[in-house]
């Protein structure tokens, strides 16, 4: 790890000013991603701006219309919060299925949204080809070991899978991200927060270098309150998703679906909303065969590589099973 300077911010506003003045500065939250990347030599900030001690940014507040979580709340605190478990259960499940308990105790929600890919070529600078780490250098994964890479949202420049769990649930339920920059606060819908790699895979989100996440807000809805996160992976614990699905349903008194939500993780370059599946479920009875049929619409347009073709069928089965398990909770 290269030497760096360290400072404790006096406020979010002062942290923004520091980021604005020093382009080598990076923000330190829980450190569970950033320090990892510094150790592997992927990133080398000249200054770490520590936010962790700042009061007033770790709140978890729910009212009738929405949940608002401060950027410095830990994954553990949000996962077990009674309102989150009762009214946004897919969020709680997604958090509990991410990382280990020790990491969840450290990692903050702002940093969780900023996770970077687990592509092995990205995280190992001894591989020269990685457009995300070194623009213009190529993509070693395209013709290398790509079993864990994405089949949706890819480009010729990058096929890295988005690694997170919570952002998948946030995408299913129309969250927005609150950010602060030198020009003041702004709000970014979660589906616009994550960018496709296209020709610029090093740009993963629309944040300016001197902007910070301050909070995430998730609307309340019947589908969010009746929701589920299913994560399929090579081992049961402490593993990234081969495929995952955040699903939610609102079911009318006649047993027919009036609202359906689904977003995929583990198979795309960003959290992947599946609106065609949602539309196919509206007005249908909440029955297993209906879910299986609708799930066949998931992962449309997938572009498998040599080793990851299994993810197309796995994504569809994960969606179907997530809905079947959720409907079984009624
Ligand atoms: Fe780099 Fe993306 Fe290719 Fe991985 S998939 S080697 S992150 S360019």
């Amino acid at each position: 790890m290269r030497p760096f300077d360290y400072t404790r911010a006096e406020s979010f506003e002062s942290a923004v000013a520091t980021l604005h003045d020093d382009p080598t500065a990076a923000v330190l939250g829980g450190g569970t991603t950033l320090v990892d990347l510094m150790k592997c030599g992927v990133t080398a900030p000249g200054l770490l701006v520590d936010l962790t001690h700042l009061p007033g940014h770790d709140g978890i507040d729910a009212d009738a219309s929405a949940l608002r979580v401060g950027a410095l709340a830990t994954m553990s605190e949000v996962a077990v919060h009674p309102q989150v478990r009762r009214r946004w259960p897919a969020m709680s499940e997604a958090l509990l299925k991410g990382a280990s308990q020790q990491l969840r105790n450290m990692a903050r929600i702002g940093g969780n949204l900023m996770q970077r890919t687990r592509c092995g070529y990205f995280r190992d600078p001894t591989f020269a080809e990685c457009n995300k780490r070194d623009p213009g250098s190529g993509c070693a994964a395209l013709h290398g070991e790509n079993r864990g890479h994405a089949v949706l949202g890819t480009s010729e420049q990058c096929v890295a899978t988005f690694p997170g769990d919570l952002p998948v649930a946030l995408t299913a339920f129309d969250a927005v991200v609150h950010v602060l920059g030198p020009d003041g606060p702004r709000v970014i819908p979660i589906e616009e927060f994550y960018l496709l790699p296209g020709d610029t895979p090093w740009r993963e989100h629309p944040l300016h270098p001197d902007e910070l996440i301050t909070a995430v807000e998730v609307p309340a809805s019947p589908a969010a309150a009746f929701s589920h996160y299913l994560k399929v992976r090579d081992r049961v614990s402490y593993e990234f998703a081969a495929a995952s699905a955040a699903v939610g349903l609102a079911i009318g008194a006649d047993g027919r679906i009036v609202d359906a939500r689904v977003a995929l993780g583990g198979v795309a370059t960003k959290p992947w909303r599946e609106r065609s599946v949602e539309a196919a479920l509206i007005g249908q009875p909440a029955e297993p065969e209906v879910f299986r049929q609708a799930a066949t619409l998931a992962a449309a347009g997938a572009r498998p590589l040599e080793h990851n073709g299994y993810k197309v069928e796995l994504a569809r089965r994960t969606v179907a099973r997530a809905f079947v398990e959720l409907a079984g909770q009624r």
Side-chain angles (χ1 to χ4, degrees):
M1 194 189 292
R2 290 197 204 148
F4 57 88
D5 292 324
Y6 168 91
T7 185
R8 299 183 88 183
E10 291 173 3
S11 65
F12 267 45
E13 288 74 13
S14 76
V16 165
T18 303
L19 292 172
H20 184 73
D21 293 343
D22 183 349
T24 75
V27 162
L28 180 67
T32 55
T33 288
L34 178 63
V35 175
D36 226 10
L37 292 172
M38 290 168 69
K39 284 181 177 172
C40 343
V42 171
T43 187
L47 171 66
L48 288 191
V49 185
D50 188 351
L51 302 179
T52 48
H53 59 287
L54 291 175
H57 295 280
D58 58 355
I60 305 169
D61 302 301
D63 61 21
S65 63
L67 169 74
R68 186 180 170 105
V69 178
L72 295 181
T74 66
M75 290 175 71
S76 295
E77 290 164 345
V78 181
V80 301
H81 192 279
Q83 290 275 8
V84 177
R85 292 177 77 147
R86 188 167 65 83
R87 297 172 59 197
W88 293 272
M91 278 182 63
S92 172
E93 291 179 274
L95 285 162
L96 291 173
K97 289 172 181 167
S100 63
Q101 182 64 55
Q102 291 90 340
L103 286 169
R104 292 195 295 268
N105 290 344
M106 289 291 293
R108 313 300 173 115
I109 293 301
N112 187 277
L113 267 59
M114 298 290 285
Q115 281 182 84
R116 305 199 70 190
T117 184
R118 307 304 295 193
C119 172
Y121 301 109
F122 170 73
R123 300 177 75 89
D124 183 350
T126 63
F127 288 99
E129 289 178 75
C130 177
N131 287 323
K132 191 183 279 295
R133 176 168 35 79
D134 185 9
S137 61
C139 173
L142 275 178
H143 304 291
E145 172 47 59
N146 49 42
R147 179 177 177 273
H149 286 73
V151 295
L152 293 164
T154 58
S155 73
E156 289 300 312
Q157 308 300 318
C158 182
V159 291
T161 306
F162 178 80
D165 295 297
L166 174 66
V168 178
L170 296 176
T171 297
F173 300 107
D174 297 321
V176 295
V177 183
H178 291 261
V179 305
L180 178 69
D183 298 329
R186 65 180 177 128
V187 178
I188 306 172
I190 192 86
E191 282 196 89
E192 296 169 22
F193 187 77
Y194 294 106
L195 304 179
L196 293 172
D199 291 331
T200 54
W202 54 92
R203 283 197 73 228
E204 297 171 350
H205 49 72
L207 290 187
H208 303 305
D210 52 8
E211 283 186 311
L212 288 175
I213 296 174
T214 55
V216 60
E217 190 172 333
V218 199
S221 68
F226 187 52
S227 64
H228 178 39
Y229 184 73
L230 176 64
K231 183 174 183 178
V232 179
R233 42 190 165 172
D234 286 344
R235 59 183 180 189
V236 162
S237 181
Y238 196 40
E239 180 60 285
F240 293 89
S244 68
V247 299
L249 287 171
I251 301 173
D254 61 357
R256 292 188 178 270
I257 296 164
V258 295
D259 188 13
R261 306 294 182 92
V262 56
L264 283 168
V267 296
T269 53
K270 60 181 276 186
W272 199 260
R273 186 87 176 253
E274 286 285 8
R275 294 185 190 278
S276 59
V277 177
E278 296 175 358
L281 288 172
I282 303 298
Q284 300 295 314
E287 295 172 358
E289 192 47 38
V290 169
F291 296 130
R292 290 190 191 103
Q293 278 298 321
T296 62
L297 299 172
R303 297 200 312 169
L305 302 161
E306 184 179 357
H307 304 297
N308 68 358
Y310 74 98
K311 287 199 174 198
V312 178
E313 181 62 21
L314 185 63
R316 292 170 183 159
R317 292 185 186 206
T318 303
V319 169
R321 195 173 119 204
F323 274 123
V324 169
E325 288 182 359
L326 176 63
Q329 295 174 18
R330 279 199 301 161

